[in-house]
Structures are given as C-alpha cells and as structure tokens.
Amino acid sequence: MNLRWFHALLILLSAALAVLFGVWCLDLYGREDSVASLLAAVAAFAVSFGLVVYDSWFLRKTRTLR
C-alpha cells in the first residue's frame, strides 16, 4: 500500500467516524431534545461530506503521480 492509498484510507475512515458521531448525536437529540446535539449532528454530517469530496478530489488529483 503506497502513501497515496494510505492517505485516502485515513480520510475515508475519518469520514466514517464523522458519520458515526453524527448518528450518536442524533440519538442523543432524540433522547434529550437538545438543540446543541442537533447542531453537532448536522456539523458532523457536513464534515463527513466534505471529507468524501476531498478524498475524491485527492484521488483524482494524484492519479498521474507515481
């Protein structure tokens, strides 16, 4: 596994962790009805989306590198 794929894997795992955090925040919002939990969930999903976009950009940008 070269450095390019290792970087892409770490970014993908970070996006998955952000999704899990967002799901946890939504569960907490359902139990406690706290606006802060809802905002944290929205932020976590936005970060996850941004990481996936960055990961696809990174893989496309570094496709020609050896």
Side-chain angles (χ1 to χ4, degrees), residues 13-63:
L13 290 175
S14 298
L17 184 63
V19 167
L20 288 176
F21 179 70
V23 169
W24 178 73
C25 286
L26 284 178
D27 180 54
L28 191 63
Y29 174 71
R31 286 188 278 135
E32 297 180 2
D33 203 27
S34 171
V35 176
S37 297
L38 182 62
L39 290 176
V42 169
F45 291 133
V47 166
S48 178
F49 177 75
L51 284 170
V52 169
V53 169
Y54 167 72
D55 202 17
S56 66
W57 172 84
F58 173 77
L59 287 173
R60 210 175 322 113
K61 181 79 172 175
T62 60
R63 183 175 303 166

